[in-house]
Amino acid sequence: MLRGALVVLICHSAGDNTSQLVDGTIALTYIELAAAAMGLSTCWIGFFARTINGYKPVADLVGLPKGHSALGGMVLGYPKHKEARLTPSKALCVRWI
């Protein structure tokens, strides 16, 4: 599931706040943007939160505090391959009216 990643980020929250899933998604998105600015790659792990929340041995393995639920997961690391750039396109001419 984690493809041998050395760093796994788990966003989690206590309680049953109605905005916690949105807040967790925003937090992970900002981490993703910051990581790219530092030359790191990220990958969201889609079923990771569901696995942690639904299977107690995994929650115990990752150290999820009692009363908390996982909101999302992401792996982080240096990319194995260099990103291929697309062919440059012509500059867009915009005229504001």
Side-chain angles (χ1 to χ4, degrees):
M1 178 184 277
L2 302 176
R3 304 273 186 198
L6 298 178
V7 176
V8 179
L9 303 173
I10 302 168
C11 185
H12 59 91
S13 176
D16 191 18
N17 185 339
T18 57
S19 67
Q20 67 187 13
L21 183 57
V22 172
D23 293 341
T25 302
I26 291 169
L28 286 172
T29 300
Y30 274 100
I31 290 170
E32 183 177 29
L33 294 171
M38 294 186 286
L40 298 168
S41 290
T42 60
C43 183
W44 290 69
I45 307 300
F47 284 102
F48 198 51
R50 182 175 286 183
T51 302
I52 292 171
N53 294 331
Y55 191 57
K56 187 164 176 11
V58 176
D60 294 340
L61 179 69
V62 299
L64 188 69
K66 187 174 183 169
H68 282 227
S69 60
L71 306 173
M74 179 183 288
V75 292
L76 174 74
Y78 289 99
K80 186 175 183 179
H81 303 286
K82 187 174 179 172
E83 181 180 326
R85 304 299 276 171
L86 298 175
T87 305
S89 57
K90 294 179 182 178
L92 179 64
C93 180
V94 177
R95 182 175 172 199
W96 297 95
I97 299 176

